[in-house]
């Protein structure tokens, strides 16, 4: 039986508690989380390392986990990235490609700024961060497969040394979505555990 490897998901990490941290955490708490994970003997894997670990059943490696960031917010660069460098921890960041570098959005209340391509490239060049695309609520009226290809094309055009097709994030799991992502060359499909149902378990590697 294969070992289950936990995947921990974060979105936004802010410097200090501002009283509105329902969907984010603080820099102090995130760093404490990293310290706890490492002190408990866990190895933090990139998605590629995690997938390879699952395939060869690395039971002898010890405790393993993966940390995922969803959103591509500016604080992923200004707050999270320095902590990753401090502890030499690798993470994938799933971004809403049409929001990269956007600081204000007329249709989104309390919009959180997103990092730009130069910042994304710096993180990729460090060897600690991989950048992948996600399906965003703003994409809902678009043709799914065409928009997924557009996301890949944009990341491939703007970023070097980054395999954008390796992973994709979609909140909801169904056969059609998985089939279309598979046909687009996506190796790993990440979904939100809140929207993941028991009957899907038999379809997981």
């Amino acid at each position: 039986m294969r070992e289950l490897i936990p995947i921990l998901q974060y979105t936004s990490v802010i410097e200090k508690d501002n009283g509105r941290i329902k969907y984010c955490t603080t820099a102090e708490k995130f760093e404490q989380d990293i310290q706890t994970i490492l002190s408990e003997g866990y190895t933090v894997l990139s998605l590629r390392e995690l997938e390879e670990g699952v395939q060869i059943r690395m039971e002898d490696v010890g405790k393993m986990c993966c940390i995922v960031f969803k959103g591509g917010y500016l604080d992923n660069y200004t707050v999270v990235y320095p902590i990753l460098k401090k502890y030499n921890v690798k993470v994938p960041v799933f971004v809403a490609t049409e929001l990269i570098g956007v600081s204000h959005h007329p249709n989104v209340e309390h919009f959180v700024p997103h990092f730009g391509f130069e910042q994304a490239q710096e993180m990729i060049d460090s060897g600690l961060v991989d950048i992948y695309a996600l399906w965003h609520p703003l994409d809902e009226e678009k043709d799914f497969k065409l928009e997924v290809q557009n996301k890949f094309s944009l990341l491939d055009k703007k970023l070097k040394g980054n395999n954008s097709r390796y992973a994709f994030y979609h909140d909801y799991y169904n056969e059609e979505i998985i089939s279309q992502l598979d046909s687009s060359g996506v190796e790993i499909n990440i979904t939100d555990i809140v929207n993941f149902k028991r009957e899907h378990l038999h379809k997981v590697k």
Side-chain angles (χ1 to χ4, degrees), residues 60-192:
D60 296 331
V61 173
K63 298 177 181 178
M64 295 178 288
C65 70
C66 183
I67 297 174
V68 167
F69 272 84
K70 176 190 177 186
Y73 301 110
L74 178 60
D75 56 65
N76 292 178
Y77 173 78
T78 59
V79 180
V80 175
Y81 180 46
I83 296 174
L84 299 179
K85 289 192 291 184
K86 181 177 179 179
Y87 294 96
N88 195 35
V89 169
K90 299 177 181 179
V91 305
V93 178
F94 290 87
V95 301
T97 53
E98 69 275 21
L99 297 179
I100 295 176
V102 176
S103 57
H104 299 87
H105 196 288
N107 299 325
V108 180
E109 188 178 7
H110 305 305
F111 184 80
V112 179
H114 290 56
F115 59 69
F117 282 107
E118 288 187 7
Q119 294 159 325
Q121 188 65 61
E122 180 184 338
M123 291 189 286
I124 290 169
D125 290 342
S126 74
L128 298 176
V129 177
D130 296 307
I131 303 293
Y132 303 115
L134 62 79
W135 189 255
H136 191 274
L138 294 175
D139 299 323
E140 290 303 326
E141 300 303 318
K142 302 174 184 176
D143 178 270
F144 181 77
K145 191 164 187 177
L146 177 60
E147 185 59 25
V148 167
Q149 294 298 329
N150 289 340
K151 292 175 184 293
F152 293 150
S153 296
L154 179 62
L155 293 181
D156 290 342
K157 178 181 179 181
K158 295 288 188 177
L159 301 175
K160 298 179 181 179
N162 183 74
N163 180 7
S164 66
R165 294 175 186 267
Y166 189 70
F168 192 88
Y169 194 113
H170 197 290
D171 281 337
Y172 296 92
Y173 179 107
N174 64 49
E175 288 296 330
E176 181 180 358
I177 288 172
I178 297 302
S179 176
Q180 292 196 50
L181 291 176
D182 285 347
S183 67
S184 298
V186 176
E187 296 289 335
I188 297 179
N189 304 308
I190 301 291
T191 192
D192 193 327

Side-chain angles (χ1 to χ4, degrees), residues 26-55:
T26 64
E28 180 181 11
K29 178 60 168 63
F30 177 66
E31 184 165 6
Q32 288 176 350
D33 290 349
I34 296 296
Q35 291 172 342
T36 299
I37 289 168
L38 297 178
S39 67
E40 289 293 326
Y42 277 85
T43 299
V44 182
L45 304 175
S46 68
L47 276 182
R48 186 174 294 277
E49 290 169 335
L50 181 145
E51 174 69 4
E52 292 171 350
V54 169
Q55 290 176 354

